[in-house]
């Protein structure tokens, strides 16, 4: 009787082990594929960079995440994360911050695609960045619009008497 119980238990355990195998293992880890459709020529600090990226997996493994990260030197300053379930084109914008003490130069845009098996494909793009130097700026306070003329690189002036505490903002062309 004990022998029959052990045989039945063994067959049940073996049946559970065999039935728990997943068909997803047949596809392997997968191979994510990126198709960057946007041209990243140059950008300004304080702007948003639009992008369109085509994503897929060569082994039809379901996709998980598309990440865009912007680095100044080795510091990440901006990130955009998009959840991807299916192959196709994904679009959006990544913000380029306007920070003090960051000179004009080249930033690194890292684009990463990950599938559900944690296989990741990274692609890096060098992105030339510069500070915008407008011909004029406009100071807006209430109904007033006051034009500030450019006098030197990144310097603007207006000759007018202002109250010491004037609410307003500056608008670029």
């Amino acid at each position: 009787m004990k022998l029959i119980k052990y045989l039945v238990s063994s067959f049940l355990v073996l049946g559970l082990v065999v039935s728990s195998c997943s068909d997803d293992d047949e596809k392997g880890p997968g191979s994510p594929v990126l198709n960057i459709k946007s041209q990243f020529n140059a950008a300004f600090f304080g702007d948003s960079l639009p992008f369109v990226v085509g994503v897929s997996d060569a082994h039809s493994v379901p996709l998980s995440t598309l990440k865009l990260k912007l680095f100044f030197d080795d510091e990440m300053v901006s990130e955009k994360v998009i959840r991807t379930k299916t192959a196709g084109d994904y679009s959006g914008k990544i913000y380029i911050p306007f920070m003090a003490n960051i000179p004009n130069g080249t930033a690194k845009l890292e684009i990463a695609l990950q599938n559900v098996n944690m296989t990741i494909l990274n692609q890096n793009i060098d992105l030339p960045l510069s500070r915008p130097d407008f011909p004029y700026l406009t100071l807006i306070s209430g109904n007033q619009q006051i034009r500030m003329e450019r006098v030197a690189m990144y310097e603007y002036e207006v000759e007018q008497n202002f109250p010491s505490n004037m609410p307003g903002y500056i608008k670029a062309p």
Side-chain angles (χ1 to χ4, degrees), residues 90-115:
Y90 291 86
S91 62
K93 292 181 180 183
I94 185 166
Y95 178 66
I96 303 169
F98 199 139
M99 301 169 69
N101 303 320
I102 305 279
N104 292 346
T106 303
K108 181 178 79 170
L109 180 63
E110 180 182 288
I111 302 174
L113 177 62
Q114 178 178 329
N115 65 18

Side-chain angles (χ1 to χ4, degrees), residues 44-63:
F44 287 121
F45 288 102
D47 202 358
S48 294
L49 184 68
F51 63 86
V52 177
V53 179
V55 300
S56 62
D57 190 284
H59 297 102
S60 300
V61 173
L63 299 170

Side-chain angles (χ1 to χ4, degrees), residues 27-40:
K27 295 179 182 178
S31 180
V33 177
L34 280 171
N35 180 13
I36 300 170
K37 298 182 177 185
S38 299
Q39 295 293 323
F40 300 113

Side-chain angles (χ1 to χ4, degrees), residues 1-172:
M1 189 63 140
K2 283 185 178 183
L3 181 63
I4 294 173
K5 286 182 181 179
Y6 288 127
L7 284 175
V8 170
S9 298
S10 298
F11 285 123
L12 284 174
V13 169
L14 183 62
L16 286 173
V17 168
V18 171
S19 67
S20 68
C21 292
S22 172
D23 292 339
D24 292 340
D25 295 339
E26 295 173 12
K27 295 179 182 178
S31 180
V33 177
L34 280 171
N35 180 13
I36 300 170
K37 298 182 177 185
S38 299
Q39 295 293 323
F40 300 113
N41 298 327
F44 287 121
F45 288 102
D47 202 358
S48 294
L49 184 68
F51 63 86
V52 177
V53 179
V55 300
S56 62
D57 190 284
H59 297 102
S60 300
V61 173
L63 299 170
S64 173
T65 310
L66 174 66
K67 291 182 182 178
L68 284 86
K69 297 178 182 178
L70 185 67
F71 292 89
F72 295 162
D73 293 326
D74 291 329
E75 181 183 352
M76 185 179 69
V77 294
S78 187
E79 180 179 33
K80 178 71 173 182
V81 178
I82 299 175
R83 299 288 177 204
T84 57
K85 292 184 179 181
T86 59
D89 290 347
Y90 291 86
S91 62
K93 292 181 180 183
I94 185 166
Y95 178 66
I96 303 169
F98 199 139
M99 301 169 69
N101 303 320
I102 305 279
N104 292 346
T106 303
K108 181 178 79 170
L109 180 63
E110 180 182 288
I111 302 174
L113 177 62
Q114 178 178 329
N115 65 18
V116 295
N117 291 339
M118 303 299 182
T119 304
I120 299 173
L121 173 67
N122 285 319
Q123 213 166 355
N124 294 326
I125 297 171
D126 289 333
L127 181 64
L129 293 176
S130 61
R131 294 179 178 280
D133 189 30
F134 300 108
Y136 67 92
L137 295 175
T138 305
L139 173 63
I140 300 176
S141 177
N143 293 334
Q144 283 188 315
Q145 290 192 9
I146 304 163
R147 187 172 166 134
M148 301 183 332
E149 297 296 331
R150 181 177 181 269
V151 293
M153 191 169 213
Y154 310 124
E155 291 183 27
Y156 303 88
E157 76 177 9
V158 61
E159 293 184 19
Q160 189 172 338
N161 291 330
F162 294 105
S164 61
N165 188 8
M166 183 175 128
Y169 61 94
I170 296 176
K171 177 181 162 186

